[in-house]
Amino acid sequence: MGEYSVAWLLFESLALTVFYHVAGFRLLKSYITKYAEKQEWWSTVGWDVDKSEDENFAEVQSVQEELKYLTILSTHHLIGGVVMTLGYLLNAPRIFVHGVLIEVADDIHDSLVLIMQWWPFNGKDTKSLMVYMIPHHLFGLLISFPMILNGWHKSVHAMAIGSSLLMAGGVS
């Protein structure tokens, strides 16, 4: 048996998914809301998205909700990217793997909120968004476990590429 088992990877991924939901979609969302509501500019971005302008992002309830959601996503990608980058810089594949599993948690969670139409997609028509986002997350899910189980995560090139991609998601 290798360094990691499928059971362990699934356990850590699911535990991180639950943690991400609680930390990001409960605690961080609440903090962002309380902070933003105190800002003068917050009320000026409270209008609903005009569906005729952008069908792909019209599923989000309002610009305020979209800003909260994107802040949570960016924070998540930066945390996972930093962990992966530390693994790369320290040549520590075990640290890198934890960063990969942080991203797997987002792949699972983001797919669930989209399919189940939970916040920020509650009650909205998300079919057009699913066409883009489900494959986006599916590709990450399909490569992550085989990469780890086959030892490809030990390659400095794989670590550099993975950490760069995830960090880019946090700043773009």
Side-chain angles (χ1 to χ4, degrees):
M1 179 176 249
E3 190 175 359
Y4 298 95
S5 69
V6 173
W8 175 254
L9 295 175
L10 284 171
F11 172 76
E12 184 170 342
S13 297
L14 294 176
L16 286 168
T17 301
V18 171
F19 178 78
Y20 174 48
H21 181 77
V22 172
F25 282 66
R26 301 285 182 212
L27 301 175
L28 184 56
K29 178 185 166 192
S30 175
Y31 173 78
I32 293 166
T33 302
K34 287 176 186 170
Y35 174 79
E37 287 174 348
K38 293 177 185 174
Q39 307 308 309
E40 285 182 36
W41 54 266
W42 188 245
S43 63
T44 65
V45 292
W47 46 271
D48 288 336
V49 175
D50 182 2
K51 198 165 193 159
S52 64
E53 288 184 27
D54 190 347
E55 292 180 14
N56 293 326
F57 293 100
E59 290 81 6
V60 181
Q61 290 176 321
S62 72
V63 174
Q64 289 178 341
E65 296 303 303
E66 190 172 337
L67 287 171
K68 291 180 215 175
Y69 182 56
L70 293 176
T71 301
I72 294 165
L73 287 179
S74 295
T75 302
H76 177 269
H77 281 70
L78 286 172
I79 291 169
V82 165
V83 173
M84 289 172 77
T85 301
L86 282 173
Y88 167 68
L89 293 174
L90 299 172
N91 195 22
R94 285 181 177 263
I95 294 173
F96 179 80
V97 165
H98 294 295
V100 171
L101 296 179
I102 289 170
E103 176 52 23
V104 167
D106 176 64
D107 290 334
I108 295 167
H109 190 272
D110 209 33
S111 296
L112 278 174
V113 298
L114 189 56
I115 293 166
M116 301 303 292
Q117 295 187 335
W118 295 332
W119 184 86
F121 307 108
N122 30 345
K124 304 297 179 181
D125 181 13
T126 58
K127 290 180 196 84
S128 62
L129 194 55
M130 280 190 214
V131 170
Y132 301 105
M133 296 310 294
I134 298 300
H136 165 80
H137 291 300
L138 185 60
F139 296 137
L141 287 168
L142 289 174
I143 192 62
S144 296
F145 283 16
M147 177 190 68
I148 295 166
L149 293 170
N150 289 304
W152 304 334
H153 66 286
K154 296 175 184 176
S155 163
V156 293
H157 304 294
M159 286 193 274
I161 292 167
S163 59
S164 297
L165 287 171
L166 193 53
M167 287 291 282
V171 296
S172 63

